[in-house]
Amino acid sequence: MGVMASPPRSSAAPPTRPPTARDRARAEITAEIMTAAREQLAEVGPGSLSLRAIAREVGMVSSAIYRYVPSRDALLTRLIIEAYDAIGAAAEDAQASVAAASAPEQFRAVWRAIRAWALTNPHQYALIYGSPVPGYRAPVDTVAPATRLPQVLLNILAAAGADGTIAAPPVVSEAAQRTLDPMVESVPDLDADRSALVAAITTWAALFGAISFELFGHIHNVVASEPESRAAFFDAQIDLVARLVGL
Amino acid sequence: MGVMASPPRSSAAPPTRPPTARDRARAEITAEIMTAAREQLAEVGPGSLSLRAIAREVGMVSSAIYRYVPSRDALLTRLIIEAYDAIGAAAEDAQASVAAASAPEQFRAVWRAIRAWALTNPHQYALIYGSPVPGYRAPVDTVAPATRLPQVLLNILAAAGADGTIAAPPVVSEAAQRTLDPMVESVPDLDADRSALVAAITTWAALFGAISFELFGHIHNVVASEPESRAAFFDAQIDLVARLVGL
DNA sequence: CACAAAAGTGAGCACCGCTCTTGCTTCCTC
DNA sequence: GAGGAAGCAAGAGCGGTGCTCACTTTTGTG
């Protein structure tokens, strides 16, 4: 506890110490817990996720789970990070698979992939884009994974802006442009003009609104419920919203 | 239990029987319960809403609450209906207060009012536009109140379409237009063309996406967090999205 | 006034998150 | 290699939840 009491090697930096058998067991059990947690999340949703049920599933007594997970909220945080990473990866993959296509086509492909991911992982989607769980406050660890998806969209728009694909860049008020100060400061190489950024964020929120409406039942009895209808409707929404950024 | 066993007056239809003292007491206590529920919802959010806590607040033993509310889910349904009505009324009031203004100005006023309501009632907002609560399925009673808000928007757009205010009506694919069959059938006097309807629904989802993003923290560190900045940013989003419907 | 319906009570069930004590095993360090 | 520290599993337990049930009390009415 005293100042300079601890030798350097015992401090926070782990000098590639070989993993012991216990370490491997711990990693394995932790993975088992996370798998069970993912399964339960997929079945019952975030609100009903139960540490006790997870413990039962991995054959543990309920209190033992706390050796691996500090709390239910911490588990949820892990799942949130996983979900952000998964949806971000889905967007990145979609973009990579059409990297040669035009910007509007990339935009469409990426948003279709995002919607597809949301439809196949509704509870994970709700976890990150639904209402925050009761007393939950997003820790810092989630911001980096949460950035992956919007980054893909920004990349597409930036490329389109650079090669002149964007026809009519939108115009927004000076006041609205100034509101992006925190973003422009935190993202180093952000040379897009701010009107385009406001429009980009608007499309981002708009299409997540569309996905949320579909997933949360707000277009029930409004849009035909067959999968093809829903897909066609979302395609139309993509095209409409794409105009906001001039695509 | 036998067929024709019960005399007509005892059947389901209440023939304007004057309310007894007990009826009034029941209505009063029910109102007390709903008030306590609203307060608790505003404080802790839908997920943590507790019947026992509500019972404590109104000075009841926990089991007595079930004489007035059949279950927690039923209470939530009531609160959902109230929330739909409240946000719908906010939209209607805003529209009524600017009924003489132009369609774009009405559009702005209504959406500003919706956002304002959401900011002052975040938990009620999350209740209806966030992720649905765990095992919850929206009963039929909620659809009518849920219609009030979109109806306001449709009215504005229909009026703008009728008097020629809408400059460039958007075009969407035939396939997307056909997806609106259920809506056109269920809403009797809906003479808007379907492209405009698709665009209208898109703006609807888009701006709720914007509000949800703000409320659920997705533009944290992106848009400056001062209330005036957020308002200016939302105004810009309104204007951008309004173009989708040609306003 | 008597009686039935409604309202209120308290115990109890099964579940939850989480804590703490108690043994046991594994690992690290002399 | 021995000893001690650290990690791990187990079980009991606390206070909370939704909800049910048998029971008593209140209350309106024929």
Short mmCIF file of all heavy atoms in Angstrom, two decimals, chain A residues 9 17 20-22 49-53 56 62-63 66 71-72, chain C residues 15-30:
data_model
loop_
_atom_site.label_atom_id
_atom_site.label_comp_id
_atom_site.label_asym_id
_atom_site.label_seq_id
_atom_site.Cartn_x
_atom_site.Cartn_y
_atom_site.Cartn_z
N ARG A 9 7.15 -5.45 -11.82
CA ARG A 9 6.55 -6.53 -12.59
C ARG A 9 5.19 -6.96 -12.03
O ARG A 9 4.41 -7.60 -12.71
CB ARG A 9 7.49 -7.74 -12.65
CG ARG A 9 7.79 -8.35 -11.30
CD ARG A 9 8.40 -9.75 -11.48
NE ARG A 9 8.66 -10.38 -10.19
CZ ARG A 9 7.73 -10.95 -9.45
NH1 ARG A 9 6.47 -10.88 -9.82
NH2 ARG A 9 8.04 -11.54 -8.32
N ARG A 17 2.81 -13.59 -19.19
CA ARG A 17 2.95 -14.78 -18.36
C ARG A 17 2.13 -15.90 -18.99
O ARG A 17 0.99 -15.68 -19.40
CB ARG A 17 2.45 -14.46 -16.95
CG ARG A 17 2.65 -15.56 -15.96
CD ARG A 17 2.17 -15.08 -14.59
NE ARG A 17 0.93 -14.31 -14.72
CZ ARG A 17 0.33 -13.71 -13.70
NH1 ARG A 17 0.86 -13.74 -12.51
NH2 ARG A 17 -0.79 -13.05 -13.88
N THR A 20 -1.96 -20.35 -16.93
CA THR A 20 -1.99 -21.58 -16.13
C THR A 20 -3.24 -22.39 -16.46
O THR A 20 -4.11 -21.93 -17.20
CB THR A 20 -2.01 -21.23 -14.64
OG1 THR A 20 -3.34 -20.80 -14.32
CG2 THR A 20 -1.04 -20.13 -14.32
N ALA A 21 -3.30 -23.57 -15.92
CA ALA A 21 -4.48 -24.41 -16.14
C ALA A 21 -5.73 -23.72 -15.59
O ALA A 21 -6.80 -23.76 -16.19
CB ALA A 21 -4.29 -25.77 -15.46
N ARG A 22 -5.56 -23.06 -14.49
CA ARG A 22 -6.72 -22.36 -13.91
C ARG A 22 -7.18 -21.23 -14.81
O ARG A 22 -8.38 -21.01 -14.99
CB ARG A 22 -6.34 -21.82 -12.52
CG ARG A 22 -7.49 -21.18 -11.80
CD ARG A 22 -7.08 -20.66 -10.45
NE ARG A 22 -7.27 -21.64 -9.40
CZ ARG A 22 -6.82 -21.49 -8.17
NH1 ARG A 22 -6.11 -20.41 -7.86
NH2 ARG A 22 -7.04 -22.40 -7.26
N LEU A 49 -33.51 -11.47 -18.61
CA LEU A 49 -32.27 -12.23 -18.50
C LEU A 49 -31.92 -12.45 -17.04
O LEU A 49 -31.83 -11.52 -16.26
CB LEU A 49 -31.15 -11.47 -19.21
CG LEU A 49 -29.84 -12.22 -19.37
CD1 LEU A 49 -29.29 -11.98 -20.77
CD2 LEU A 49 -28.82 -11.76 -18.36
N SER A 50 -31.73 -13.72 -16.67
CA SER A 50 -31.55 -14.07 -15.27
C SER A 50 -30.22 -14.76 -15.03
O SER A 50 -29.92 -15.78 -15.65
CB SER A 50 -32.70 -14.97 -14.83
OG SER A 50 -32.30 -15.85 -13.81
N LEU A 51 -29.45 -14.20 -14.11
CA LEU A 51 -28.17 -14.81 -13.76
C LEU A 51 -28.39 -16.20 -13.20
O LEU A 51 -27.61 -17.12 -13.46
CB LEU A 51 -27.44 -13.95 -12.74
CG LEU A 51 -26.77 -12.68 -13.24
CD1 LEU A 51 -25.94 -12.06 -12.14
CD2 LEU A 51 -25.88 -13.00 -14.43
N ARG A 52 -29.42 -16.39 -12.43
CA ARG A 52 -29.68 -17.71 -11.84
C ARG A 52 -29.95 -18.74 -12.91
O ARG A 52 -29.47 -19.88 -12.84
CB ARG A 52 -30.86 -17.61 -10.86
CG ARG A 52 -30.53 -16.83 -9.60
CD ARG A 52 -31.73 -16.77 -8.66
NE ARG A 52 -31.51 -17.52 -7.44
CZ ARG A 52 -31.36 -16.98 -6.23
NH1 ARG A 52 -31.40 -15.68 -6.09
NH2 ARG A 52 -31.15 -17.74 -5.18
N ALA A 53 -30.73 -18.34 -13.91
CA ALA A 53 -31.02 -19.28 -14.99
C ALA A 53 -29.76 -19.63 -15.75
O ALA A 53 -29.54 -20.79 -16.14
CB ALA A 53 -32.06 -18.68 -15.93
N ARG A 56 -27.83 -22.07 -13.70
CA ARG A 56 -28.42 -23.40 -13.84
C ARG A 56 -27.96 -24.06 -15.12
O ARG A 56 -27.58 -25.23 -15.14
CB ARG A 56 -29.95 -23.29 -13.83
CG ARG A 56 -30.57 -23.35 -12.44
CD ARG A 56 -32.08 -23.55 -12.54
NE ARG A 56 -32.75 -22.49 -13.28
CZ ARG A 56 -33.21 -21.38 -12.73
NH1 ARG A 56 -33.05 -21.15 -11.43
NH2 ARG A 56 -33.83 -20.47 -13.45
N SER A 62 -26.06 -20.75 -7.99
CA SER A 62 -26.26 -19.37 -8.45
C SER A 62 -25.18 -18.42 -7.95
O SER A 62 -24.81 -17.48 -8.65
CB SER A 62 -27.63 -18.87 -8.00
OG SER A 62 -27.64 -18.65 -6.60
N SER A 63 -24.68 -18.67 -6.77
CA SER A 63 -23.71 -17.71 -6.24
C SER A 63 -22.36 -17.83 -6.95
O SER A 63 -21.59 -16.87 -6.97
CB SER A 63 -23.53 -17.92 -4.75
OG SER A 63 -23.09 -19.23 -4.49
N TYR A 66 -20.97 -15.36 -9.66
CA TYR A 66 -20.38 -14.06 -9.34
C TYR A 66 -18.86 -14.09 -9.29
O TYR A 66 -18.23 -13.06 -9.12
CB TYR A 66 -20.96 -13.53 -8.02
CG TYR A 66 -22.41 -13.13 -8.18
CD1 TYR A 66 -23.43 -14.01 -7.90
CD2 TYR A 66 -22.75 -11.86 -8.63
CE1 TYR A 66 -24.77 -13.65 -8.05
CE2 TYR A 66 -24.06 -11.49 -8.80
CZ TYR A 66 -25.06 -12.38 -8.50
OH TYR A 66 -26.37 -12.02 -8.67
N SER A 71 -21.83 -8.60 -11.89
CA SER A 71 -23.24 -8.28 -11.64
C SER A 71 -24.03 -8.48 -12.92
O SER A 71 -23.47 -8.66 -14.00
CB SER A 71 -23.40 -6.84 -11.16
OG SER A 71 -23.23 -5.95 -12.23
N ARG A 72 -25.34 -8.45 -12.77
CA ARG A 72 -26.20 -8.58 -13.94
C ARG A 72 -25.96 -7.43 -14.91
O ARG A 72 -25.91 -7.63 -16.13
CB ARG A 72 -27.66 -8.61 -13.49
CG ARG A 72 -28.66 -8.83 -14.59
CD ARG A 72 -30.07 -8.89 -14.00
NE ARG A 72 -31.06 -9.09 -15.03
CZ ARG A 72 -31.61 -8.14 -15.75
NH1 ARG A 72 -31.23 -6.88 -15.54
NH2 ARG A 72 -32.51 -8.40 -16.67
P DC C 15 -39.34 -21.76 -9.69
OP1 DC C 15 -39.51 -22.17 -11.09
OP2 DC C 15 -38.65 -22.64 -8.70
"O5'" DC C 15 -38.57 -20.36 -9.67
"C5'" DC C 15 -38.77 -19.47 -10.76
"C4'" DC C 15 -38.55 -18.06 -10.32
"O4'" DC C 15 -39.04 -17.84 -8.99
"C3'" DC C 15 -37.10 -17.61 -10.19
"O3'" DC C 15 -36.54 -17.36 -11.46
"C2'" DC C 15 -37.24 -16.35 -9.36
"C1'" DC C 15 -38.57 -16.55 -8.61
N1 DC C 15 -38.43 -16.46 -7.13
C2 DC C 15 -38.36 -15.19 -6.54
O2 DC C 15 -38.41 -14.18 -7.26
N3 DC C 15 -38.23 -15.09 -5.19
C4 DC C 15 -38.18 -16.20 -4.44
N4 DC C 15 -38.06 -16.04 -3.13
C5 DC C 15 -38.25 -17.50 -5.02
C6 DC C 15 -38.37 -17.58 -6.36
P DC C 16 -34.97 -17.25 -11.62
OP1 DC C 16 -34.67 -17.28 -13.07
OP2 DC C 16 -34.36 -18.24 -10.70
"O5'" DC C 16 -34.65 -15.79 -11.07
"C5'" DC C 16 -35.25 -14.68 -11.72
"C4'" DC C 16 -34.98 -13.43 -10.91
"O4'" DC C 16 -35.67 -13.51 -9.65
"C3'" DC C 16 -33.52 -13.24 -10.52
"O3'" DC C 16 -32.85 -12.60 -11.59
"C2'" DC C 16 -33.64 -12.33 -9.31
"C1'" DC C 16 -34.99 -12.73 -8.68
N1 DC C 16 -34.89 -13.53 -7.44
C2 DC C 16 -34.69 -12.88 -6.21
O2 DC C 16 -34.57 -11.65 -6.19
N3 DC C 16 -34.61 -13.62 -5.08
C4 DC C 16 -34.73 -14.95 -5.15
N4 DC C 16 -34.67 -15.65 -4.00
C5 DC C 16 -34.94 -15.62 -6.38
C6 DC C 16 -35.00 -14.88 -7.50
P DG C 17 -31.27 -12.67 -11.68
OP1 DG C 17 -30.89 -12.23 -13.03
OP2 DG C 17 -30.85 -13.99 -11.18
"O5'" DG C 17 -30.81 -11.58 -10.62
"C5'" DG C 17 -31.15 -10.22 -10.83
"C4'" DG C 17 -30.56 -9.38 -9.72
"O4'" DG C 17 -31.09 -9.83 -8.46
"C3'" DG C 17 -29.04 -9.48 -9.61
"O3'" DG C 17 -28.50 -8.20 -9.33
"C2'" DG C 17 -28.84 -10.47 -8.46
"C1'" DG C 17 -30.04 -10.18 -7.58
N9 DG C 17 -30.47 -11.36 -6.83
C8 DG C 17 -30.69 -12.62 -7.33
N7 DG C 17 -31.05 -13.49 -6.42
C5 DG C 17 -31.06 -12.77 -5.24
C6 DG C 17 -31.36 -13.18 -3.91
O6 DG C 17 -31.69 -14.30 -3.51
N1 DG C 17 -31.25 -12.13 -3.01
C2 DG C 17 -30.88 -10.85 -3.34
N2 DG C 17 -30.82 -9.97 -2.34
N3 DG C 17 -30.59 -10.45 -4.58
C4 DG C 17 -30.70 -11.46 -5.48
P DC C 18 -26.90 -8.01 -9.40
OP1 DC C 18 -26.64 -6.59 -9.67
OP2 DC C 18 -26.35 -9.04 -10.29
"O5'" DC C 18 -26.44 -8.33 -7.91
"C5'" DC C 18 -27.14 -7.71 -6.82
"C4'" DC C 18 -26.75 -8.35 -5.52
"O4'" DC C 18 -27.45 -9.61 -5.36
"C3'" DC C 18 -25.26 -8.69 -5.35
"O3'" DC C 18 -24.69 -7.77 -4.42
"C2'" DC C 18 -25.24 -10.12 -4.84
"C1'" DC C 18 -26.70 -10.35 -4.43
N1 DC C 18 -27.14 -11.77 -4.51
C2 DC C 18 -27.61 -12.40 -3.35
O2 DC C 18 -27.65 -11.75 -2.30
N3 DC C 18 -28.00 -13.69 -3.41
C4 DC C 18 -27.95 -14.35 -4.56
N4 DC C 18 -28.35 -15.62 -4.57
C5 DC C 18 -27.47 -13.74 -5.76
C6 DC C 18 -27.07 -12.45 -5.69
P DT C 19 -23.17 -7.91 -3.96
OP1 DT C 19 -22.70 -6.55 -3.70
OP2 DT C 19 -22.47 -8.79 -4.91
"O5'" DT C 19 -23.29 -8.69 -2.57
"C5'" DT C 19 -24.21 -8.21 -1.59
"C4'" DT C 19 -24.05 -8.99 -0.30
"O4'" DT C 19 -24.68 -10.29 -0.42
"C3'" DT C 19 -22.60 -9.27 0.12
"O3'" DT C 19 -22.48 -8.99 1.50
"C2'" DT C 19 -22.41 -10.75 -0.18
"C1'" DT C 19 -23.81 -11.30 0.03
N1 DT C 19 -24.14 -12.53 -0.75
C2 DT C 19 -24.67 -13.62 -0.11
O2 DT C 19 -24.88 -13.64 1.08
N3 DT C 19 -24.94 -14.68 -0.93
C4 DT C 19 -24.73 -14.75 -2.30
O4 DT C 19 -25.01 -15.77 -2.93
C5 DT C 19 -24.17 -13.58 -2.90
C7 DT C 19 -23.90 -13.55 -4.37
C6 DT C 19 -23.90 -12.53 -2.11
P DC C 20 -21.00 -8.87 2.16
OP1 DC C 20 -21.02 -7.70 3.04
OP2 DC C 20 -19.98 -8.99 1.09
"O5'" DC C 20 -20.92 -10.18 3.06
"C5'" DC C 20 -22.07 -10.61 3.77
"C4'" DC C 20 -21.86 -12.02 4.32
"O4'" DC C 20 -22.34 -12.98 3.36
"C3'" DC C 20 -20.40 -12.36 4.60
"O3'" DC C 20 -20.28 -12.89 5.91
"C2'" DC C 20 -20.05 -13.40 3.54
"C1'" DC C 20 -21.40 -14.02 3.24
N1 DC C 20 -21.49 -14.55 1.84
C2 DC C 20 -22.09 -15.79 1.61
O2 DC C 20 -22.54 -16.43 2.56
N3 DC C 20 -22.15 -16.25 0.35
C4 DC C 20 -21.65 -15.52 -0.66
N4 DC C 20 -21.75 -16.02 -1.89
C5 DC C 20 -21.04 -14.26 -0.44
C6 DC C 20 -20.98 -13.81 0.81
P DT C 21 -18.81 -13.08 6.58
OP1 DT C 21 -18.80 -12.26 7.80
OP2 DT C 21 -17.75 -12.90 5.57
"O5'" DT C 21 -18.85 -14.62 6.99
"C5'" DT C 21 -20.09 -15.19 7.40
"C4'" DT C 21 -20.06 -16.69 7.24
"O4'" DT C 21 -20.31 -17.04 5.85
"C3'" DT C 21 -18.73 -17.35 7.61
"O3'" DT C 21 -18.99 -18.45 8.46
"C2'" DT C 21 -18.13 -17.76 6.27
"C1'" DT C 21 -19.37 -18.00 5.43
N1 DT C 21 -19.17 -17.81 3.97
C2 DT C 21 -19.61 -18.77 3.09
O2 DT C 21 -20.16 -19.80 3.45
N3 DT C 21 -19.38 -18.49 1.77
C4 DT C 21 -18.77 -17.35 1.25
O4 DT C 21 -18.63 -17.22 0.05
C5 DT C 21 -18.34 -16.40 2.23
C7 DT C 21 -17.65 -15.15 1.77
C6 DT C 21 -18.55 -16.65 3.53
P DT C 22 -17.76 -19.24 9.12
OP1 DT C 22 -18.19 -19.64 10.47
OP2 DT C 22 -16.53 -18.44 8.92
"O5'" DT C 22 -17.65 -20.55 8.21
"C5'" DT C 22 -18.83 -21.28 7.89
"C4'" DT C 22 -18.49 -22.37 6.88
"O4'" DT C 22 -18.45 -21.82 5.54
"C3'" DT C 22 -17.14 -23.04 7.12
"O3'" DT C 22 -17.31 -24.44 7.20
"C2'" DT C 22 -16.30 -22.63 5.92
"C1'" DT C 22 -17.37 -22.39 4.86
N1 DT C 22 -16.97 -21.46 3.77
C2 DT C 22 -17.13 -21.83 2.47
O2 DT C 22 -17.59 -22.90 2.13
N3 DT C 22 -16.72 -20.89 1.55
C4 DT C 22 -16.17 -19.64 1.82
O4 DT C 22 -15.84 -18.88 0.92
C5 DT C 22 -16.02 -19.32 3.22
C7 DT C 22 -15.43 -18.01 3.62
C6 DT C 22 -16.42 -20.23 4.12
P DG C 23 -16.20 -25.42 7.70
OP1 DG C 23 -16.61 -25.86 9.03
OP2 DG C 23 -14.88 -24.78 7.51
"O5'" DG C 23 -16.34 -26.66 6.70
"C5'" DG C 23 -15.19 -27.22 6.16
"C4'" DG C 23 -15.26 -27.20 4.64
"O4'" DG C 23 -15.28 -25.82 4.17
"C3'" DG C 23 -14.04 -27.85 3.99
"O3'" DG C 23 -14.48 -29.01 3.29
"C2'" DG C 23 -13.46 -26.78 3.08
"C1'" DG C 23 -14.60 -25.76 2.94
N9 DG C 23 -14.15 -24.41 2.70
C8 DG C 23 -13.81 -23.47 3.63
N7 DG C 23 -13.45 -22.33 3.11
C5 DG C 23 -13.59 -22.52 1.74
C6 DG C 23 -13.35 -21.62 0.67
O6 DG C 23 -12.96 -20.45 0.73
N1 DG C 23 -13.61 -22.23 -0.57
C2 DG C 23 -14.04 -23.53 -0.73
N2 DG C 23 -14.23 -23.94 -1.98
N3 DG C 23 -14.28 -24.37 0.26
C4 DG C 23 -14.02 -23.80 1.46
P DC C 24 -13.41 -30.20 3.08
OP1 DC C 24 -14.20 -31.45 3.00
OP2 DC C 24 -12.36 -30.02 4.09
"O5'" DC C 24 -12.80 -29.92 1.64
"C5'" DC C 24 -13.68 -29.79 0.52
"C4'" DC C 24 -12.95 -29.07 -0.59
"O4'" DC C 24 -12.76 -27.69 -0.24
"C3'" DC C 24 -11.56 -29.61 -0.91
"O3'" DC C 24 -11.60 -30.22 -2.18
"C2'" DC C 24 -10.64 -28.38 -0.87
"C1'" DC C 24 -11.63 -27.23 -0.95
N1 DC C 24 -11.17 -25.96 -0.32
C2 DC C 24 -10.88 -24.87 -1.14
O2 DC C 24 -11.00 -24.98 -2.36
N3 DC C 24 -10.47 -23.70 -0.56
C4 DC C 24 -10.36 -23.62 0.77
N4 DC C 24 -9.98 -22.45 1.29
C5 DC C 24 -10.65 -24.72 1.62
C6 DC C 24 -11.06 -25.87 1.05
P DT C 25 -10.40 -31.15 -2.69
OP1 DT C 25 -11.01 -32.34 -3.32
OP2 DT C 25 -9.43 -31.29 -1.58
"O5'" DT C 25 -9.74 -30.26 -3.83
"C5'" DT C 25 -10.58 -29.68 -4.82
"C4'" DT C 25 -9.84 -28.55 -5.50
"O4'" DT C 25 -9.61 -27.46 -4.57
"C3'" DT C 25 -8.47 -28.92 -6.07
"O3'" DT C 25 -8.44 -28.54 -7.43
"C2'" DT C 25 -7.48 -28.12 -5.22
"C1'" DT C 25 -8.33 -26.91 -4.83
N1 DT C 25 -7.91 -26.19 -3.61
C2 DT C 25 -7.56 -24.86 -3.71
O2 DT C 25 -7.58 -24.25 -4.75
N3 DT C 25 -7.18 -24.28 -2.51
C4 DT C 25 -7.12 -24.89 -1.27
O4 DT C 25 -6.77 -24.27 -0.27
C5 DT C 25 -7.50 -26.28 -1.24
C7 DT C 25 -7.46 -27.03 0.04
C6 DT C 25 -7.87 -26.85 -2.40
P DT C 26 -7.40 -29.26 -8.44
OP1 DT C 26 -8.16 -29.69 -9.62
OP2 DT C 26 -6.55 -30.20 -7.67
"O5'" DT C 26 -6.49 -28.02 -8.86
"C5'" DT C 26 -7.13 -26.83 -9.31
"C4'" DT C 26 -6.26 -25.64 -9.03
"O4'" DT C 26 -6.12 -25.45 -7.60
"C3'" DT C 26 -4.82 -25.75 -9.56
"O3'" DT C 26 -4.66 -24.80 -10.59
"C2'" DT C 26 -3.93 -25.46 -8.35
"C1'" DT C 26 -4.90 -24.78 -7.39
N1 DT C 26 -4.56 -24.92 -5.95
C2 DT C 26 -4.27 -23.78 -5.23
O2 DT C 26 -4.25 -22.67 -5.72
N3 DT C 26 -3.98 -24.01 -3.90
C4 DT C 26 -3.97 -25.24 -3.25
O4 DT C 26 -3.70 -25.33 -2.06
C5 DT C 26 -4.29 -26.38 -4.06
C7 DT C 26 -4.30 -27.76 -3.45
C6 DT C 26 -4.57 -26.17 -5.36
P DC C 27 -3.37 -24.88 -11.55
OP1 DC C 27 -3.81 -24.42 -12.89
OP2 DC C 27 -2.70 -26.18 -11.36
"O5'" DC C 27 -2.44 -23.74 -10.92
"C5'" DC C 27 -2.96 -22.42 -10.83
"C4'" DC C 27 -2.13 -21.62 -9.84
"O4'" DC C 27 -2.19 -22.25 -8.55
"C3'" DC C 27 -0.64 -21.53 -10.19
"O3'" DC C 27 -0.36 -20.18 -10.56
"C2'" DC C 27 0.08 -21.95 -8.90
"C1'" DC C 27 -1.03 -21.91 -7.85
N1 DC C 27 -0.86 -22.91 -6.75
C2 DC C 27 -0.64 -22.46 -5.44
O2 DC C 27 -0.57 -21.25 -5.22
N3 DC C 27 -0.51 -23.37 -4.44
C4 DC C 27 -0.60 -24.68 -4.72
N4 DC C 27 -0.47 -25.55 -3.70
C5 DC C 27 -0.83 -25.16 -6.04
C6 DC C 27 -0.95 -24.25 -7.03
P DC C 28 1.12 -19.82 -11.12
OP1 DC C 28 0.93 -18.74 -12.11
OP2 DC C 28 1.86 -21.04 -11.47
"O5'" DC C 28 1.78 -19.19 -9.80
"C5'" DC C 28 1.06 -18.20 -9.09
"C4'" DC C 28 1.88 -17.75 -7.87
"O4'" DC C 28 1.80 -18.76 -6.84
"C3'" DC C 28 3.37 -17.54 -8.15
"O3'" DC C 28 3.78 -16.32 -7.54
"C2'" DC C 28 4.04 -18.76 -7.52
"C1'" DC C 28 3.09 -19.12 -6.39
N1 DC C 28 3.04 -20.58 -6.07
C2 DC C 28 3.07 -21.00 -4.72
O2 DC C 28 3.13 -20.15 -3.83
N3 DC C 28 3.03 -22.33 -4.44
C4 DC C 28 2.95 -23.22 -5.45
N4 DC C 28 2.89 -24.53 -5.13
C5 DC C 28 2.92 -22.81 -6.81
C6 DC C 28 2.97 -21.49 -7.08
P DT C 29 5.32 -15.84 -7.74
OP1 DT C 29 5.26 -14.38 -7.91
OP2 DT C 29 6.00 -16.67 -8.75
"O5'" DT C 29 5.97 -16.18 -6.32
"C5'" DT C 29 5.19 -15.96 -5.15
"C4'" DT C 29 5.94 -16.47 -3.92
"O4'" DT C 29 5.70 -17.89 -3.75
"C3'" DT C 29 7.46 -16.30 -3.98
"O3'" DT C 29 7.93 -15.92 -2.71
"C2'" DT C 29 7.94 -17.69 -4.36
"C1'" DT C 29 6.94 -18.55 -3.60
N1 DT C 29 6.78 -19.93 -4.14
C2 DT C 29 6.62 -20.98 -3.26
O2 DT C 29 6.60 -20.85 -2.06
N3 DT C 29 6.48 -22.21 -3.87
C4 DT C 29 6.49 -22.47 -5.23
O4 DT C 29 6.35 -23.61 -5.65
C5 DT C 29 6.67 -21.33 -6.08
C7 DT C 29 6.71 -21.49 -7.58
C6 DT C 29 6.81 -20.11 -5.52
P DC C 30 9.37 -15.25 -2.54
OP1 DC C 30 9.23 -13.86 -2.94
OP2 DC C 30 10.43 -16.09 -3.18
"O5'" DC C 30 9.48 -15.31 -0.96
"C5'" DC C 30 10.62 -15.86 -0.36
"C4'" DC C 30 10.30 -17.22 0.25
"O4'" DC C 30 9.77 -18.13 -0.74
"C3'" DC C 30 11.53 -17.89 0.85
"O3'" DC C 30 11.36 -18.03 2.25
"C2'" DC C 30 11.62 -19.24 0.13
"C1'" DC C 30 10.20 -19.43 -0.43
N1 DC C 30 10.18 -20.23 -1.66
C2 DC C 30 9.85 -21.60 -1.59
O2 DC C 30 9.61 -22.12 -0.48
N3 DC C 30 9.85 -22.34 -2.74
C4 DC C 30 10.12 -21.74 -3.91
N4 DC C 30 10.09 -22.50 -5.00
C5 DC C 30 10.45 -20.36 -4.00
C6 DC C 30 10.46 -19.65 -2.87
#
